[in-house]
Amino acid sequence: DQHQISTIMSNTSWYRSVYWNMRGNKEYTKAGYEAAAVRFKPAEVDVDCTDRHVLITGGNKGLGLSTALSLARKGAVLHLVCRNMVDAKAARSKMITETGNDKVHLYHLDMSRPRDVMQFCGEFVTQQTQLHVLINNAGAMVHDRVLDDDGLEYNFTVNTLGTHLMTVGLMPLLLKSEDSRVINVSSAGMLQVRLDPKDLMFENMVPFSGNLAYSQTKRQQVVLTLCYAQMYAKVHFSSMHPGWADTLAVRTSLPEFYEMYKDKLRTPDQGADTIVWLAISRRAKTYNSGLFFQDREAVPTHLPLAWTKNTMNEEKIFLENLQAIVTRLQQPREEALSEVMQNGESNGVEHEEQVQREEVVVEQQQEGEQEDEQSDHKKEEDHKEEQADPKEQQRDHKEEEAHKDEEEHKDEQADHKEEQRDHKEEEAHKDEEEHKDEQADHK
C-alpha cells in the first residue's frame, strides 16, 4: 500500500545518501582520480584536433575553461558560449597566451534565456559549415525557486532546457560533420534521485531544495543523452560525471560542502579529463552511444538497490512535456503566456470540479455516518429498554413480594393480638367465676 511504498522510498533515500557519500569519498575525490589515472593511457588523448570545431557552453570558467585550454593546445577551433563577456575575454587571452592557438571565438549568450538560445542556434547553423563536438557544460544551482517571464524555473532552464535546445538546435551541423560527438556534463548527484517526468518546474517540491532540483536536472540530462543516442545514430552521445572538483561554482553554490571537502577536491583539470577524453579519443567511440562515464569508463546510471530506475513510459512523458515547453517557446511570448493562462484556468476549473465532487462524496459519507449513528443510537436505546424491562419486572415482583409479606405479617400480628385478647377475656372470665365461687363458699 501507499504507506509501505512511502516507507520503502524513505528508507532507500537514506540508503542512497549514505551509499553515495561512501562512494564519493572513495571515487569522486582527488584520491579517487589518482587511483583511476593509473590505468589511463596518455596516447588516447594525444590527438591532433586541427580543424576540429568544438563548441563549449560556459567555456570561460571552471571545467569549461580547463577543457577549452586542453583542446586549444591540440589545435581545435573553439567556439566559447559565455554569459559573462569580461571573464570570456580574459579566458580567450589566457588561451592564446598559453597555447598559441588564436582560433578561439566568443559568443555572448545567457543559457537561462531559452528564446535567446534558440535564436543563437539558428544563427550559428546559418553562419557555420561544420561542428564536430558540442560540450554542454554550462550549469546552474540556485537555492530559491526563481521563474522567468515564461514561467520556467531557473535550474531547469539552464541545465535541462538549455542542453536540449543547444543539442537539437545545432543538430543540422553535427549531422553533416565527420565523427561528431555530444558530451553532456552531468553530475553523480543525479544518482540520488529518480526521474520525475511531470513536475519539471518543481511546483510540488515543498520546501524547495536547490540541491534536489539540480540533481533532478542532472538526471534529466542523462535520460536525454540516451534518448538522443536512439534518435540520432550518426552522432555519438555521452554524459559524464567530473567528480568533486574545486571550481568557483562549487565554492559559491555549495559552501558547506566545499569547506568539508576542500582538501580532497579534484583540480579543474582532473575534473575535465574525461570531458576531453570523450571529445577526442578513439576509444571513447568504441563504447555504445548514450552511456554515462566517470574517469574514462562507462559506469551504471543507478546505485544498486536504490529504486531510481524509471520506466520507458516515464521517459516518454518527460520528453512530451519537454517538447510542449519548446513548442510554446516557438510562439510569441504573449501567445505562449495566454496559452499558459488558459491551461491554468482549465486546470483550475478541473481542480474546482474535482474538489466539488470530493465535497459531495464527503457530504454523502457524513450523512451516511449520521444515519448510522442515529441507527446505532436507536438500537442502543432499544437494548437499554430491553435490559430495563426484566429489571423493572424484578423490581415489581420484589415490591409485590414485600407487600405480600407485609400483609401477611400484619395478619399474623392481628391474629396474635386477637389470641391475646381472647386469652385475657378468658382469664378474666375464669377469675370472675373463681371469685364468685369463693364468695359463695364464704357465705
Side-chain angles (χ1 to χ4, degrees), residues 278-295:
L278 287 168
I280 66 176
S281 75
R282 290 183 179 180
R283 194 167 79 88
K285 287 288 294 287
T286 64
Y287 288 91
N288 290 333
S289 182
L291 299 182
F292 179 65
F293 289 81
Q294 172 189 314
D295 292 333

Side-chain angles (χ1 to χ4, degrees), residues 25 54 57 87 115 120 126 153 161 165 186 232 247 271 293 301 308 323 329 354 371 377 382 395 430:
N25 276 285
V54 181
T57 61
D87 290 342
R115 294 177 188 275
F120 165 81
T126 301
E153 194 275 332
L161 184 59
L165 293 177
S186 182
Y232 306 105
T247 64
F293 289 81
T301 56
T308 54
Q323 184 55 44
L329 289 170
Q354 177 66 22
E371 291 177 358
H377 181 68
D382 293 341
R395 185 169 59 252
K430 186 178 178 180

Side-chain angles (χ1 to χ4, degrees), residues 317-333:
I317 293 172
F318 165 62
L319 292 174
E320 288 174 349
N321 289 334
L322 181 60
Q323 184 55 44
I325 293 172
V326 175
T327 301
R328 179 155 53 87
L329 289 170
Q330 292 170 340
Q331 304 172 4
R333 178 170 279 118

Side-chain angles (χ1 to χ4, degrees), residues 422-438:
D422 292 342
H423 179 69
K424 287 181 178 179
E425 288 178 355
E426 186 176 345
E427 289 293 327
H429 179 69
K430 186 178 178 180
D431 290 340
E432 185 179 354
E433 289 296 326
E434 289 178 353
H435 181 65
K436 287 180 178 180
D437 289 340
E438 289 178 357

Side-chain angles (χ1 to χ4, degrees), residues 205-339:
M205 186 183 286
V206 181
F208 178 82
S209 167
N211 290 3
L212 285 178
Y214 177 82
S215 296
Q216 181 64 217
T217 60
K218 292 302 174 178
R219 168 65 71 183
Q220 292 167 358
Q221 285 182 335
V222 171
V223 171
L224 282 174
T225 302
L226 185 57
C227 291
Y228 295 147
Q230 297 167 346
M231 295 167 62
Y232 306 105
K234 192 176 183 298
V235 181
H236 191 271
F237 293 88
S238 305
S239 58
M240 60 81 64
H241 167 47
W244 295 346
D246 185 359
T247 64
L248 180 62
V250 170
R251 295 187 183 199
T252 56
S253 298
L254 298 168
E256 293 180 359
F257 174 84
Y258 172 76
E259 287 299 323
M260 184 180 299
Y261 290 100
K262 61 183 178 182
D263 295 330
K264 298 180 179 181
L265 299 180
R266 299 181 177 192
T267 67
D269 286 346
Q270 290 173 337
D273 177 81
T274 298
I275 302 175
V276 175
W277 180 82
L278 287 168
I280 66 176
S281 75
R282 290 183 179 180
R283 194 167 79 88
K285 287 288 294 287
T286 64
Y287 288 91
N288 290 333
S289 182
L291 299 182
F292 179 65
F293 289 81
Q294 172 189 314
D295 292 333
R296 301 191 187 186
E297 279 192 338
V299 295
T301 56
H302 300 276
L303 297 175
L305 305 175
W307 279 49
T308 54
K309 294 182 180 180
N310 49 271
T311 65
M312 292 181 64
N313 186 55
E314 287 173 328
E315 289 183 6
K316 180 182 177 183
I317 293 172
F318 165 62
L319 292 174
E320 288 174 349
N321 289 334
L322 181 60
Q323 184 55 44
I325 293 172
V326 175
T327 301
R328 179 155 53 87
L329 289 170
Q330 292 170 340
Q331 304 172 4
R333 178 170 279 118
E334 292 76 13
E335 294 181 14
L337 290 175
S338 176
E339 181 179 336

Side-chain angles (χ1 to χ4, degrees), residues 151-169:
L152 303 176
E153 194 275 332
Y154 192 89
N155 292 288
F156 167 83
T157 303
V158 175
N159 301 336
T160 302
L161 184 59
T163 293
H164 181 63
L165 293 177
M166 291 293 286
T167 302
V168 175

